[in-house]
Amino acid sequence: GNSVTQMEGPVTLSEEAFLTINCTYTATGYPSLFWYVQYPGEGLQLLLKATKADDKGSNKGFEATYRKETTSFHLEKGSVQVSDSAVYFCALSDNNAGNMLTFGGGTRLMVKP
Amino acid sequence: EAGVTQSPTHLIKTRGQQVTLRCSPISGHTSVYWYQQALGLGLQFLLWYDEGEERNRGNFPPRFSGLQFPNYSSELNVNALELEDSALYLCASSLGSGTEETQYFGPGTRLLVL
């Protein structure tokens, strides 16, 4: 079956630091890959996505590249802000798995001023 | 444009009771998904409805059921509530049914079973 593994948190950074959250996946088909963010007390918001190999998704300074050869979709940001503090979820959707999103366990990011 | 809406926002029930959660998708979206976010268990897929039909079901017992109405809104019903059903229930909708489609999430319904 499908699975998503992402680095455990919490990740604590100072403002303006570089962020990397690792995400690797296993899938039986040709998945689309997503990063969602969950701010405290809220639902999930799409951060970025990539639908085929070598695609780069980007939004709000965050980016991630779909690497089929390493089955990875690592999230990066060059300079984090306090407002980026949230839980980040890597997810995949696979045509062999009936459109369900398979999520990683989430990574809590805390950015200190 | 309004996003996905869910009601109620919070709910407290006791073991053995039944509960109905409601979801209205983004206008024009025909697919609705339900997920459970339980503490320590992460996000797990429950159900997918598209054009009024159940298309896929996650690994949950039959007491979790739902339906989608002609206006594409959806209900999630949970019978014979158990303590471990306490969770945030998230509804999502998408414009189409392809795997590349983005699922847009509502704010969730937080259910507490005592």
Side-chain angles (χ1 to χ4, degrees):
Chain A
N2 296 340
S3 67
V4 176
T5 303
Q6 58 181 108
M7 59 190 293
E8 291 189 17
V11 173
T12 303
L13 296 173
S14 298
E15 208 166 21
E16 299 184 2
F18 184 85
L19 169 71
T20 299
I21 300 178
N22 290 338
C23 171
T24 57
Y25 68 90
T26 58
T28 55
Y30 299 92
S32 295
L33 302 174
F34 305 82
W35 276 101
Y36 282 88
V37 58
Q38 187 173 35
Y39 297 100
E42 298 184 12
L44 298 174
Q45 297 178 26
L46 176 72
L47 185 57
L48 52 86
K49 72 177 189 181
T51 59
K52 60 182 187 297
D54 299 325
D55 270 2
K56 178 186 283 188
S58 61
N59 185 29
K60 298 181 181 179
F62 291 90
E63 59 181 35
T65 301
Y66 188 159
R67 301 285 189 202
K68 189 177 179 181
E69 64 276 14
T70 55
T71 62
S72 65
F73 193 54
H74 305 321
L75 183 68
E76 295 182 337
K77 187 176 185 182
S79 176
V80 294
Q81 306 299 313
V82 172
S83 57
D84 293 328
S85 298
V87 180
Y88 292 80
F89 292 92
C90 185
L92 70 83
S93 177
D94 181 357
N95 56 344
N96 287 343
N99 275 26
M100 56 180 278
L101 283 170
T102 301
F103 287 91
T107 302
R108 182 175 299 277
L109 170 66
M110 298 169 57
V111 180
K112 298 185 174 182
Chain B
E1 179 183 293
V4 176
T5 59
Q6 294 185 243
S7 63
T9 55
H10 295 82
L11 208 50
I12 300 175
K13 292 286 188 179
T14 56
R15 284 177 59 189
Q17 285 189 310
Q18 181 265 345
V19 68
T20 297
L21 311 182
R22 295 178 175 83
C23 172
S24 291
I26 293 172
S27 177
H29 287 195
T30 60
S31 277
V32 171
Y33 309 79
W34 288 94
Y35 293 86
Q36 182 196 66
Q37 188 176 25
L39 199 61
L41 293 178
L43 282 148
Q44 296 184 290
F45 168 76
L46 267 164
L47 290 160
W48 170 32
Y49 291 94
D50 182 60
E51 297 285 357
E53 299 287 330
E54 182 180 304
R55 302 294 186 184
N56 195 14
R57 181 182 183 84
N59 188 25
F60 282 84
R63 57 191 185 83
F64 286 83
S65 64
L67 68 159
Q68 186 178 34
F69 298 100
N71 66 354
Y72 303 113
S73 66
S74 177
E75 285 183 356
L76 174 68
N77 299 294
V78 187
N79 294 321
L81 284 166
E82 300 180 2
L83 296 179
E84 55 264 33
D85 297 334
S86 295
L88 179 67
Y89 289 84
L90 293 168
C91 173
S93 72
S94 67
L95 184 60
S97 57
T99 55
E100 72 284 1
E101 295 286 345
T102 297
Q103 294 182 25
Y104 295 90
F105 284 80
T109 293
R110 192 167 294 281
L111 172 64
L112 177 62
V113 182
L114 301 175

